[in-house]
């Protein structure tokens, strides 16, 4: 796999980004829109002080009236997490994790896109674009950088190596926030191809979960030159008759296999009891954002609810992720004030991301046991017509890259093995 060296258009100027009140981050140096500029994170201490002050002033609701989490995050659990956030958690350690990586920013279609770009030391590394989801971020993906770029240190071979590109989606993290409509998954998919080509690559692969899966699927549908194949861990496979039954609240269609019935039941639970979060973002992201942007406890509870439900942990995210890892992610949303801007993607997309796609380029799928639903192979091969890899693993959930980085890296090595040249 040949790759070109990274070239920076224009002068190389380190860009420092500072918080500007509630408006997010503002660039201090003007650059050509096609340039690639180094990026360094430096959150002002005043923002951290304000966060802790707000946590101290939290007004809590009454305790839930049930013994389980059917009404949402239990009061005692979220109080412990938020208390630690305000007293024991150190954002500077999280900031240092990101600043230890090669970070850059570039402007695509008028919007700043911040990204991590790590080149492997091994020759002929395969360029890999990784896209995070919601309520995830680049923190969801950084643990797999080592196994992917330096496989010989993690049980792999030199020929397994990848160059890794991890952008923050528009409205997420340190990327810019759209000021108008139109930044949907299709637009992001096109922008990602621009990003990869701007880095000098001609051939590459794409992978993601949650929104990352949706973006990878869109890229596969668009078939930009040089995209060799995709890998997704939240595949869109639900057949039309099953999708209609789920939409109408009808029983499962007759004739489904055991695995197909299990998938139907998982999705039926999401649609009837677990999808309220998405309904709010699809219909009223701005209204939701007012509360989440003003209350750290509210933001933490909204995200922690999904982390508990979607990790392979039996409802306790802290069995899969550490408190610090959870708070790294939540803090990123808080400090960039991106609760509303990230939710806008749901409003922009406004589509069912589980319904079967129609993709013909090489595609690979890994099914994790803690995913929102476990896609049956029978459905998957009808949606991804050139299915080059399919595997059901025994651990990991919706945040598989975060929960099981070594396993996920091994899956990517296997998934893309036949596409290396």
């Amino acid at each position: 796999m040949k790759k070109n060296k990274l070239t920076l258009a224009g002068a190389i100027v380190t860009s420092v980004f500072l918080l500007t009140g509630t408006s997010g981050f503002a660039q201090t140096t003007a650059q050509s829109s096609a340039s690639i500029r180094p990026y360094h994170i430096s959150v002002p201490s005043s923002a951290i002080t304000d966060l802790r002050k707000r946590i101290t002033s939290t007004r809590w609701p009454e305790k839930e009236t049930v013994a389980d989490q059917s009404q949402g995050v239990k009061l005692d659990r979220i109080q412990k997490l938020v208390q630690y956030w305000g007293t024991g958690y150190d954002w500077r350690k999280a900031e240092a994790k990101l600043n230890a990586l090669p970070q850059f920013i570039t402007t695509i279609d008028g919007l700043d896109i911040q990204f991590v770009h790590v080149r492997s030391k091994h020759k002929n590394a395969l360029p890999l674009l990784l896209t995070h989801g919601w309520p995830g971020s680049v923190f969801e993906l950084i643990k797999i950088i080592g196994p992917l770029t330096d496989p010989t240190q993690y049980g792999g071979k030199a020929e397994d190596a990848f160059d890794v590109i991890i952008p923050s989606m528009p409205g997420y993290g340190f990327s810019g926030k759209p000021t108008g409509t139109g930044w949907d998954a299709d637009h992001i998919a096109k922008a990602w191809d621009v990003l990869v080509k701007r880095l000098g690559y001609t051939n590459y692969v794409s992978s993601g979960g949650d929104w990352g899966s949706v973006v990878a699927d869109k890229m596969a549908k668009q078939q930009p030159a040089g995209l060799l194949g995709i890998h997704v861990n939240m595949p869109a496979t639900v057949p039309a008759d099953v999708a209609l039954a789920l939409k109408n609240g009808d029983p499962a269609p007759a004739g489904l296999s055991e695995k197909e019935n299990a998938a139907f039941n998982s999705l039926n639970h999401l649609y009837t009891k677990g999808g309220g979060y998405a309904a709010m973002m699809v219909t009223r992201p701005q209204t939701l954002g007012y509360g989440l942007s003003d209350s750290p406890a509210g933001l933490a509870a909204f995200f922690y609810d999904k982390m508990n439900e979607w990790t392979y942990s039996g409802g306790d995210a802290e069995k899969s992720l550490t408190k610090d890892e959870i708070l790294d992610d939540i803090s990123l949303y808080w400090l960039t004030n991106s609760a509303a801007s990230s939710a806008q993607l749901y409003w922009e997309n406004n589509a069912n991301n589980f319904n079967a796609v129609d993709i013909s380029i090489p595609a690979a799928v890994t099914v994790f046991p803690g995913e929102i639903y476990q896609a049956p192979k029978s459905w998957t091969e009808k949606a991804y017509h050139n299915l080059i890899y399919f595997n059901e693993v025994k651990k990991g959930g919706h945040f598989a890259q975060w929960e099981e980085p070594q396993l996920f890296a091994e899956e990517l090595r296997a998934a893309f093995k036949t596409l290396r040249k």
Side-chain angles (χ1 to χ4, degrees), residues 39-245:
Y39 189 89
H40 181 83
I41 300 165
S42 182
V43 171
S45 296
S46 58
I48 299 171
T49 300
D50 175 70
L51 168 60
R52 290 172 176 163
K53 180 180 178 181
R54 288 170 181 264
I55 288 173
T56 301
S57 302
T58 299
R59 183 175 71 167
W60 295 101
E62 293 77 16
K63 186 177 184 293
E64 64 280 351
T65 59
V66 294
D68 56 23
Q69 296 188 77
S70 59
Q71 293 181 348
V73 180
K74 300 183 76 173
L75 180 62
D76 63 333
R77 292 187 61 186
I78 191 62
Q79 282 182 325
K80 289 176 182 176
L81 182 69
V82 171
Q83 181 183 25
Y84 175 68
W85 194 13
T87 57
Y89 172 76
D90 184 359
W91 163 256
R92 295 303 180 195
K93 292 181 179 179
E95 191 174 83
K97 289 180 192 176
L98 297 179
N99 284 333
L101 299 168
Q103 297 180 95
F104 304 91
I105 196 161
T106 193
T107 305
I108 301 175
D109 294 343
L111 195 71
D112 281 345
I113 301 297
Q114 187 262 352
F115 63 96
V116 171
H117 181 207
V118 182
R119 289 183 176 274
S120 173
K121 67 181 181 181
H122 298 291
K123 294 181 179 180
N124 300 319
L126 178 62
L128 168 64
L129 176 70
L130 291 169
T131 308
H132 65 81
W134 181 98
S137 65
V138 293
F139 280 118
E140 188 182 352
L141 302 172
I142 62 175
K143 290 198 291 187
I144 63 174
I145 293 175
L148 291 173
T149 60
D150 193 8
T152 57
Q153 296 298 312
Y154 295 86
K157 300 177 181 178
E159 55 265 33
D160 294 327
F162 294 91
D163 281 357
V164 172
I165 308 156
I166 307 176
S168 290
M169 290 196 297
Y172 287 70
F174 295 100
S175 281
K177 299 175 182 178
T179 57
T181 60
W183 273 99
D184 57 10
D186 275 295
H187 194 166
I188 294 171
K190 293 174 183 176
W192 279 190
D193 183 64
V194 171
L195 172 61
V196 174
K197 304 289 176 55
R198 192 171 289 180
L199 289 172
Y201 296 114
T202 54
N203 296 304
Y204 67 101
V205 292
S206 178
S207 175
D210 193 84
W211 279 114
S213 289
V214 179
V215 171
D217 284 341
K218 296 293 186 182
M219 296 183 77
K221 191 67 176 176
Q222 293 166 8
Q223 297 188 44
L227 179 62
L228 303 177
I230 65 167
H231 170 273
V232 293
N233 50 290
M234 193 188 80
T237 70
V238 180
D241 60 334
V242 177
L244 183 62

Side-chain angles (χ1 to χ4, degrees), residues 141-399:
L141 302 172
I142 62 175
K143 290 198 291 187
I144 63 174
I145 293 175
L148 291 173
T149 60
D150 193 8
T152 57
Q153 296 298 312
Y154 295 86
K157 300 177 181 178
E159 55 265 33
D160 294 327
F162 294 91
D163 281 357
V164 172
I165 308 156
I166 307 176
S168 290
M169 290 196 297
Y172 287 70
F174 295 100
S175 281
K177 299 175 182 178
T179 57
T181 60
W183 273 99
D184 57 10
D186 275 295
H187 194 166
I188 294 171
K190 293 174 183 176
W192 279 190
D193 183 64
V194 171
L195 172 61
V196 174
K197 304 289 176 55
R198 192 171 289 180
L199 289 172
Y201 296 114
T202 54
N203 296 304
Y204 67 101
V205 292
S206 178
S207 175
D210 193 84
W211 279 114
S213 289
V214 179
V215 171
D217 284 341
K218 296 293 186 182
M219 296 183 77
K221 191 67 176 176
Q222 293 166 8
Q223 297 188 44
L227 179 62
L228 303 177
I230 65 167
H231 170 273
V232 293
N233 50 290
M234 193 188 80
T237 70
V238 180
D241 60 334
V242 177
L244 183 62
L246 287 165
K247 179 180 178 180
N248 294 337
D250 295 335
L256 297 185
S257 69
E258 182 179 349
K259 288 189 175 182
E260 291 169 347
N261 262 309
F264 179 91
N265 291 334
S266 293
L267 289 167
N268 189 52
H269 172 79
L270 174 68
Y271 293 174
T272 58
K273 296 182 179 180
Y277 77 98
M280 286 187 284
M281 291 192 284
V282 165
T283 59
R284 292 294 186 271
Q286 189 69 17
T287 301
L288 178 65
Y290 296 129
L292 299 185
S293 298
D294 188 60
S295 169
L299 180 70
F302 197 62
F303 283 20
Y304 193 50
D305 181 274
K306 307 324 296 178
M307 292 176 183
N308 283 333
E309 186 176 5
W310 291 347
T311 49
Y312 189 53
S313 64
D316 183 357
E318 291 172 44
K319 291 181 178 178
S320 294
L321 304 166
T322 67
K323 272 190 174 71
D324 282 354
E325 288 175 334
I326 291 168
L327 290 172
D328 287 348
D329 183 69
I330 297 172
S331 297
L332 181 60
Y333 278 82
W334 177 264
L335 293 170
T336 58
N337 193 17
S338 53
S341 58
S342 61
Q344 291 286 355
L345 181 56
Y346 283 77
W347 184 90
E348 287 281 356
N349 196 63
N350 195 20
N352 190 309
N353 294 326
F354 300 104
N355 290 353
V357 289
D358 179 17
I359 288 173
S360 59
I361 75 166
V365 170
T366 303
V367 177
F368 289 86
E371 184 53 88
I372 293 173
Y373 87 113
Q374 287 71 58
K377 187 175 184 181
S378 56
W379 291 356
T380 304
E381 56 194 5
K382 293 177 182 177
Y384 300 87
H385 309 305
N386 189 0
L387 189 64
I388 60 172
Y389 181 84
F390 181 90
N391 193 29
E392 297 171 286
V393 296
K394 297 186 181 300
K395 56 184 179 178
H398 184 70
F399 306 98

Side-chain angles (χ1 to χ4, degrees), residues 21-43:
T22 59
S23 63
F25 287 70
Q27 189 178 350
T28 60
T29 55
Q31 297 283 341
S32 164
S33 62
S35 68
I36 297 171
R37 294 95 68 188
Y39 189 89
H40 181 83
I41 300 165
S42 182
V43 171

